[in-house]
């Protein structure tokens, strides 16, 4: 790691005022630390992840995606799950706190990388990636972006990985539909809303549990809509 990061994992941002922590994080050349992820030394990669997580947690919302979108995209394609999780968690932080899909404007390749992570062998990576896409899909504009061009191609490629991955995407499509009626009609009209008969083959013995989950989520959606009427 660069010399300025030695012993940095022991540095506690919580011990200094938030303003100073943010200023420190903004002054550090995080791009150089991202470069340290390109290494086969597991200890160095883990240390780089730790430092990046600490620093990025003190950046202003949207700052990470604006300044480090390319390094984050590379992190999402890293062979180590810990690196992907670090990058996905930071994307999630930006979206959860900021709550704005506009952070992803012009970041189509980033969305492609997130979609590819849904097909990852590591279930934690896949789950975080799926949650991010589900949140993005509350905007019909982003749903249409996901199902067009290179992103649609990546989605199809990822779905063909195996039956387990296909099952993940089926579940994602249902969650997307529950979040938005407009999205549900879009998926149905384009043939992406999974049929229960096909889901039965994928879920086999777990099918009844899956249906219970869908029904529970549907009830929640109906109740939330009713309260707004």
């Amino acid at each position: 790691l660069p010399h300025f990061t030695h012993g940095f994992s022991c540095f506690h941002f919580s011990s200094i005022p938030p303003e100073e922590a943010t200023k420190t994080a903004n002054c550090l050349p995080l791009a150089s630390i991202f470069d340290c992820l390109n290494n086969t030394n597991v200890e160095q990669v883990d240390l780089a992840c730790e430092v990046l997580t600490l620093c990025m947690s003190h950046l202003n919302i949207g700052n990470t995606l604006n300044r480090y979108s390319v390094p984050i995209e590379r992190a999402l394609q890293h062979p180590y799950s810990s690196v992907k999780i670090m990058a996905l968690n930071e994307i999630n932080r930006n979206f959860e706190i900021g709550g704005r899909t506009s952070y992803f404007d012009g970041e189509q390749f980033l969305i492609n990388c997130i979609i590819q992570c849904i097909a990852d062998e590591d279930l934690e990576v896949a789950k975080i990636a799926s949650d991010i896409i589900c949140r993005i899909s509350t905007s019909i504009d982003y749903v249409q972006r996901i199902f067009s061009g290179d992103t649609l191609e990546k989605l199809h490629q990822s779905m063909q990985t195996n039956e387990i991955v296909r099952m993940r995407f089926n579940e994602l499509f249902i969650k997307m539909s529950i979040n938005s009626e407009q999205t549900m009609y879009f998926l149905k009209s384009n043939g992406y809303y999974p049929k229960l008969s096909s889901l039965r083959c994928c879920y086999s013995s777990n099918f009844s549990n899956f249906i219970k989950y869908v029904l529970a989520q549907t009830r929640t959606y109906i109740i939330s809509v009713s309260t707004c009427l």
Side-chain angles (χ1 to χ4, degrees):
L1 283 176
H3 64 86
F4 53 81
T5 65
H6 288 306
F8 189 84
S9 60
C10 298
F11 180 82
H12 298 286
F13 272 118
S14 59
S15 64
I16 61 176
E19 297 81 7
E20 188 177 341
T22 299
K23 183 178 179 180
T24 302
N26 277 286
C27 289
L28 288 172
L30 298 189
S32 297
I33 305 178
F34 270 108
D35 288 341
C36 295
L37 296 172
N38 303 322
N39 200 298
T40 56
N41 185 317
V42 178
E43 290 185 2
Q44 179 162 312
V45 170
D46 287 343
L47 178 57
C49 280
E50 185 179 356
V51 172
L52 286 167
T53 299
L54 280 170
C55 291
M56 292 190 297
S57 67
H58 288 276
L59 292 178
N60 294 328
I61 295 304
N63 233 5
T64 310
L65 298 181
N66 289 334
R67 295 172 59 184
Y68 303 109
S69 61
V70 173
I72 286 177
E73 288 166 2
R74 291 173 182 164
L76 292 176
Q77 300 173 80
H78 198 280
Y80 293 170
S81 294
S82 59
V83 177
K84 294 174 188 173
I85 291 170
M86 176 272 296
L88 288 167
N89 281 336
E90 177 58 21
I91 294 170
N92 230 353
R93 183 184 76 88
N94 278 261
F95 192 73
E96 283 183 341
I97 301 176
R100 287 164 44 192
T101 54
S102 59
Y103 293 133
F104 295 90
D105 288 348
E107 300 292 349
Q108 201 67 28
F109 186 72
L110 179 63
I111 295 175
N112 292 357
C113 293
I114 297 171
I115 286 176
Q116 285 180 294
C117 283
I118 298 176
D120 197 87
E121 292 181 359
D122 190 304
L123 186 58
E124 185 177 0
V125 171
K127 184 181 183 305
I128 301 172
S130 181
D131 287 345
I132 293 172
I133 294 300
C134 191
R135 289 191 176 101
I136 294 174
S137 66
T138 55
S139 165
I140 190 62
D141 290 338
Y142 278 91
V143 172
Q144 292 171 343
R145 291 187 192 185
I146 291 170
F147 291 90
S148 63
D150 292 340
T151 305
L152 178 60
E153 185 178 344
K154 291 294 181 185
L155 188 147
H156 283 163
Q157 290 174 356
S158 298
M159 287 183 69
Q160 293 171 5
T161 303
N162 54 50
E163 285 302 315
I164 292 176
V165 171
R166 187 183 299 274
M167 181 173 65
R168 291 176 188 169
F169 277 98
N170 282 334
E171 184 173 354
L172 171 61
F173 296 156
I174 289 177
K175 287 181 178 179
M176 290 167 65
S177 299
I178 293 171
N179 285 340
S180 165
E181 185 177 359
Q182 193 175 10
T183 298
M184 180 184 70
Y185 286 126
F186 176 87
L187 292 175
K188 278 186 175 181
S189 63
N190 287 277
Y192 290 100
Y193 196 82
K195 296 179 181 179
L196 294 183
S197 57
S198 64
L199 286 175
R200 183 182 296 276
C201 297
C202 293
Y203 282 87
S204 60
S205 61
N206 294 323
F207 181 73
S208 60
N209 291 332
F210 177 72
I211 291 301
K212 289 177 183 177
Y213 166 80
V214 172
L215 289 174
Q217 294 296 317
T218 304
R219 290 192 198 101
T220 302
Y221 174 72
I222 292 173
I223 291 172
S224 64
V225 171
S226 299
T227 57
C228 295
L229 297 178

